[in-house]
């Protein structure tokens, strides 16, 4: 909903999203754009990053969204950092946590707190090419079709139940930057569509099968 001055009025029924990001934040930007439509059903109430220089922080500030930096260096150990993340996220009382280019592995204790409500976007067709360099690995393997995946987060690395996927062709002459960019276009669209549908229709999980709506 827009007021005459152009500011969006948040629907009280909109699901509360907290986005965790380490990088530029183009996926966050896509969610922030989508929530301008009141019918979207979800709104970003907080952004949490592990990197003080993350572009996601600028996007949050420009959108008037609260943010927090929880940097590994500020803690004695990983357990302390995980507690810091949990605390920073919990302040925002999220319905859903969205990992959008968050380049850290969260402890099982954090994952369990948000079981069934924490999603990650990954630039490959899981279960192929999990991990930190999926596009590089995709090109090295020589596959002809790749894509992007939105999945639930579990204790493994990119192993949780798959919610939605989009295929993206690998073209002759692709290198890591060109293929990354083609995937990211599809990824943003998939994330926006998937998160919106989950917010409006609910997410149901039975074993490895995740489905949106009943
Ligand atoms: C996305 O492709 C995400 O899947 C990957 O890192 C990228 C982050 O992009 N893990 P951005 O910061 O949202 O632009």
């Amino acid at each position: 909903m827009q007021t005459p001055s152009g500011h969006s009025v948040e629907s009280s029924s909109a699901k509360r999203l907290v986005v965790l990001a380490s990088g530029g934040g183009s996926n966050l930007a896509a969610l922030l754009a989508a929530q301008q439509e009141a019918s979207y059903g979800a709104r970003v109430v907080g952004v949490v990053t592990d990197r003080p220089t993350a572009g996601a922080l600028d996007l949050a500030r420009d959108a008037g969204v609260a943010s927090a930096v929880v940097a590994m260096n500020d803690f004695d150990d990983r357990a302390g950092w995980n507690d810091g993340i949990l605390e920073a996220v919990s302040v925002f009382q999220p319905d859903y946590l969205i990992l959008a280019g968050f380049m850290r592995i969260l402890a099982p204790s954090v994952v369990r707190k948000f079981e069934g409500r924490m999603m990650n976007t990954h630039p490959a067709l899981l279960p192929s090419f999990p991990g930190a360099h999926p596009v590089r690995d995709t090109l090295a393997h020589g596959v002809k079709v790749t894509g992007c995946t939105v999945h639930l987060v579990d204790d493994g690395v990119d192993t949780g139940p798959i919610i939605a996927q989009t295929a993206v062709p690998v073209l002759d002459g692709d290198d890591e930057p060109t293929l990354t960019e083609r995937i990211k276009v599809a990824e943003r669209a998939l994330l926006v569509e998937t998160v919106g549908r989950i917010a409006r229709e609910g997410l149901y999980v039975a074993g490895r099968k995740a489905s949106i709506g009943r």
Side-chain angles (χ1 to χ4, degrees), residues 23-27 101 103 121-123 184 187:
S26 68
N27 284 289
M103 302 308 285
T121 173
H122 183 78
K184 285 186 78 168
E187 188 180 26

Side-chain angles (χ1 to χ4, degrees), residues 108-137:
S109 57
V110 178
V111 171
R112 262 190 293 280
K113 290 262 183 211
F114 298 98
E115 197 173 1
R117 299 190 293 135
M118 191 193 302
M119 290 140 231
N120 180 46
T121 173
H122 183 78
L125 287 180
L126 293 171
S128 294
F129 309 114
H133 305 291
V135 180
R136 194 182 307 168
D137 297 345

Side-chain angles (χ1 to χ4, degrees), residues 42-118:
R43 64 191 167 99
V44 180
V45 296
V47 171
V48 176
T49 181
D50 60 316
R51 291 193 189 155
T53 55
L57 287 171
D58 299 328
L59 292 168
R61 190 196 51 231
D62 293 349
V65 172
S67 61
V69 178
V70 184
M72 195 73 90
N73 288 345
D74 294 339
F75 294 85
D76 291 339
D77 53 22
R78 280 197 89 90
W81 176 79
N82 273 283
D83 289 346
I85 289 284
L86 187 57
E87 202 180 314
V89 163
S90 300
V91 163
F92 298 118
Q93 298 184 292
D95 292 304
Y96 296 106
L97 281 193
I98 313 295
L99 274 52
F102 190 62
M103 302 308 285
R104 300 275 185 189
I105 307 297
L106 294 166
S109 57
V110 178
V111 171
R112 262 190 293 280
K113 290 262 183 211
F114 298 98
E115 197 173 1
R117 299 190 293 135
M118 191 193 302

